[in-house]
Amino acid sequence: MNKEQTFTIFGGTGDLTFRKLIPALYNMAAAGNEQLNGRIVVIGRRDYTSESYRKLAGEWVEKFARLTYREEIYDKLAERIVYYRMDFTDEDEYRGLDAFYTEIGARAHIFYFAVAPRFFGTIVQGLKSVRGAGSGKVVIEKPFGENLLAAEELNVRMEAFFGPDHIYRIDHYLGKEMVRNIQTIRFANPIFSNIWDAGHIECIQISALEEVGVETRGGYYDHSGALKDMMQNHLFQILTIVAMERPEGPGVEEMHREQMKVLKALCMPEAAAGSMVLGQYGGYRKEQAVDENSATETYAALRLFVENDRWGGMPFYIRTGKKLRKREMQVAVVFKSPVPGVPQNILNIKIQPTEGVYLQFNIKRPGEADEIIQAKMDFCQSCSYINQMNTPEAYERLLGACIRGERSWFSQWDQIETSWKYVDAIREQYVSGSLPVYSYEPGTAGPEEADEMLRQHGHAWFD
């Protein structure tokens, strides 16, 4: 690991940088886990000096950092922050960037593209004028292209310049504590690992629900929608972690191989009707930068099957949406009832905002009667102040992994490509079947049709 890597952020004046990246670097420094000693070069178009940018960034760190703001720690970090003003869409300006890197002695690079995906190719083209850039690492934010074709073209360009092993496609959900904990819960506990299959599980539900709407992202979101924004990257990644076989070893290739087996085993339904529900919250078309006739979905629910020896015939239900009644991300494992009428055991892995594990199981009611009642055990990991302080946030983990060259918890291109193809195909089924985008009221659970999709099969969403 080269600690003298220069960390460059394209889009250094955007919300992602202020709310996540700079606070993450501060948290790493405050926790004593800083693994980067080189310069932090922040690139933006606004007219800041390094001094004025450091002052502004300090205010955001104080507001958004996980760990308590301490001026002496931030000042030490800020000494390494340099603001470089340029228009990164102007290819000619990269020659000046090259000269600047030479001036500060930058030799090894990590580039973070904290900008819209339509600019990724432009930056790659410009970096061809920067000596040594092609041997560096690059971190890109989702979405990885606006559709499969755009994603493929972008991937070809980026792999040609950086090489496939130097591209880190960040999915911050994969850095969350309880997502990473799924493997431990599964594989380190025989009470679960021995019954983690279709023979013992009725269904598995993956939910990512949001209270907020599109806010200021209407222009982007109206060309994306819930399927592309959340389903084909974040939730399919979590699906693979829940469903995969135990990797044979700790390496990136072993984990990647098992995740790909799950994606390749995803069965395409004969028809989207009964397997997919799309919805749009009331008032979405009046949001800023949204087409007044938009049919973009802000809610999506799928009923999927992984056709392999472990999961054949058992449904996975996946849902995501905006402007719903609560913010929640979880994986609910609903076990089969041993006899009719006995309540089901449920394991609920809570990912956000609460982090922890909930288990619902059956016991005999105390007394003479043989009545069965439900007992509930709820472990809240994030409720402990000590746990909060000791648990790195997603961007801290993933930035550290990139610096060290660890790629296990980053999305790989063939995973992205396979997910794109599946989502594009099932969406085409939905559109060609003239199925509607159902309206739902803000603050509700989403369209009633999503509840009905489960009810037809004797299931219900676990809330």
Side-chain angles (χ1 to χ4, degrees):
M1 181 178 70
N2 182 0
K3 290 189 175 183
E4 295 299 325
Q5 296 170 96
T6 299
F7 186 73
T8 299
I9 304 173
F10 286 92
T13 58
D15 274 2
L16 175 63
T17 300
F18 282 136
R19 291 173 181 265
K20 297 295 183 181
L21 302 184
I22 300 296
L25 292 171
Y26 170 83
N27 288 334
M28 293 164 71
N33 294 329
E34 191 171 23
Q35 301 158 59
L36 187 71
N37 296 331
R39 298 272 192 167
I40 301 166
V41 178
V42 176
I43 292 178
R45 303 182 192 185
R46 298 183 188 178
D47 193 16
Y48 292 121
T49 63
S50 292
E51 183 178 355
S52 63
Y53 182 88
R54 291 167 184 163
K55 182 179 179 181
L56 179 62
E59 296 172 2
W60 286 82
V61 166
E62 192 168 4
K63 185 175 181 180
F64 290 104
R66 173 178 59 89
L67 299 177
T68 302
Y69 178 83
R70 292 168 57 189
E71 189 172 342
E72 66 273 18
I73 294 176
Y74 178 71
D75 287 347
K76 188 174 180 180
L77 174 69
E79 289 175 359
R80 300 183 5 242
I81 297 176
V82 181
Y83 184 79
Y84 185 81
R85 183 171 179 260
M86 68 174 282
D87 179 358
F88 60 77
T89 66
D90 185 347
E91 191 175 332
D92 291 338
E93 295 202 16
Y94 285 83
R95 286 190 287 272
L97 180 62
D98 177 54
F100 172 74
Y101 282 141
T102 300
E103 179 183 333
I104 65 173
R107 295 179 180 85
H109 294 277
I110 299 175
F111 300 102
Y112 199 115
F113 292 2
V115 298
R118 66 180 181 275
F119 296 121
F120 291 175
T122 302
I123 297 174
V124 170
Q125 184 62 33
L127 287 176
K128 292 180 180 179
S129 300
V130 175
R131 285 166 288 184
S135 59
K137 303 171 185 174
V138 60
V139 185
I140 58 176
E141 282 276 339
K142 68 94 183 172
F144 314 112
E146 297 178 354
N147 52 51
L148 177 59
L149 179 60
E152 288 174 334
E153 292 175 349
L154 175 62
N155 186 67
V156 168
R157 293 182 67 178
M158 297 199 71
E159 287 195 353
F161 185 66
F162 288 105
D165 293 338
H166 287 177
I167 301 173
Y168 294 76
R169 301 171 184 87
I170 201 166
D171 180 345
H172 66 276
Y173 282 95
L174 297 186
K176 291 185 177 294
E177 178 67 21
M178 292 311 298
V179 172
R180 297 171 73 93
N181 220 327
I182 289 171
Q183 287 189 326
T184 301
I185 293 169
R186 278 191 61 185
F187 299 132
N189 296 289
I191 59 172
F192 297 130
S193 62
N194 292 337
I195 57 172
W196 204 266
D197 55 47
H200 297 89
I201 298 175
E202 182 77 19
C203 67
I204 293 178
Q205 303 175 14
I206 302 173
S207 301
L209 315 177
E210 299 179 76
E211 291 179 315
V212 300
V214 295
E215 299 182 304
T216 60
R217 299 171 68 232
Y220 152 72
Y221 196 89
D222 206 38
H223 291 89
S224 176
L227 281 171
K228 296 178 181 179
D229 185 55
M230 287 292 294
M231 195 72 73
Q232 66 88 16
N233 44 51
H234 297 318
L235 300 190
F236 273 27
Q237 282 283 335
I238 294 174
L239 168 65
T240 63
I241 294 169
V242 171
M244 72 181 185
E245 300 298 318
R246 183 197 294 267
E248 294 181 0
V252 59
E253 292 303 325
E254 287 79 3
M255 182 171 174
H256 172 228
R257 187 180 302 113
E258 297 305 330
Q259 288 181 288
M260 274 303 300
K261 288 178 182 177
V262 174
L263 290 174
K264 290 179 178 179
L266 277 175
C267 181
M268 184 62 59
E270 294 182 2
S275 298
M276 181 175 178
V277 171
L278 301 182
Q280 184 186 97
Y281 65 78
Y284 169 73
R285 296 176 184 180
K286 296 181 181 179
E287 298 277 24
Q288 178 183 347
V290 170
D291 189 316
E292 62 181 10
N293 298 311
S294 176
T296 297
E297 78 283 353
T298 61
Y299 178 98
L302 300 180
R303 181 173 186 262
L304 306 177
F305 290 89
V306 176
E307 290 301 335
N308 59 21
D309 291 342
R310 181 179 294 273
W311 299 113
M314 192 218 72
F316 289 81
Y317 295 107
I318 309 180
R319 61 175 171 168
T320 183
K322 291 186 175 293
K323 276 285 178 92
L324 300 173
R325 66 187 177 196
K326 60 182 173 181
R327 175 177 177 252
E328 182 177 79
M329 188 169 191
Q330 64 181 25
V331 176
V333 182
V334 182
F335 292 92
K336 291 182 177 179
S337 178
V339 294
V342 174
Q344 295 167 307
N345 297 158
I346 297 175
L347 173 68
N348 184 20
I349 302 169
K350 301 178 181 182
I351 298 171
Q352 73 174 26
T354 302
E355 296 176 346
V357 182
Y358 165 96
L359 180 62
Q360 178 178 297
F361 59 98
N362 300 317
I363 63 170
K364 175 188 163 300
R365 182 186 292 278
E368 295 299 323
D370 289 332
E371 181 184 358
I372 293 176
I373 61 173
Q374 291 183 318
K376 300 174 181 178
M377 298 178 65
D378 200 350
F379 166 65
C380 178
Q381 176 171 278
S382 58
C383 292
S384 163
Y385 177 76
I386 296 298
N387 287 344
Q388 291 179 28
M389 292 300 97
N390 291 339
T391 303
E393 291 185 344
Y395 277 94
E396 296 171 55
R397 276 203 172 101
L398 296 174
L399 287 177
C402 176
I403 293 166
R404 295 189 300 272
E406 298 172 1
R407 302 177 68 245
S408 298
W409 290 91
F410 291 86
S411 301
Q412 307 300 311
W413 166 246
D414 53 357
Q415 296 172 345
I416 296 166
E417 181 181 37
T418 304
S419 298
W420 264 120
K421 288 179 178 178
Y422 188 92
V423 167
D424 280 354
I426 196 171
R427 184 181 177 83
E428 178 58 32
Q429 276 193 6
Y430 198 89
V431 172
S432 62
S434 299
L435 299 174
V437 177
Y438 298 97
S439 179
Y440 64 95
E441 288 300 311
T444 66
E448 169 64 25
E449 289 76 9
D451 297 338
E452 180 60 27
M453 181 175 71
L454 272 67
R455 199 157 39 236
Q456 290 176 357
H457 303 282
H459 299 143
W461 295 109
F462 178 75
D463 290 309

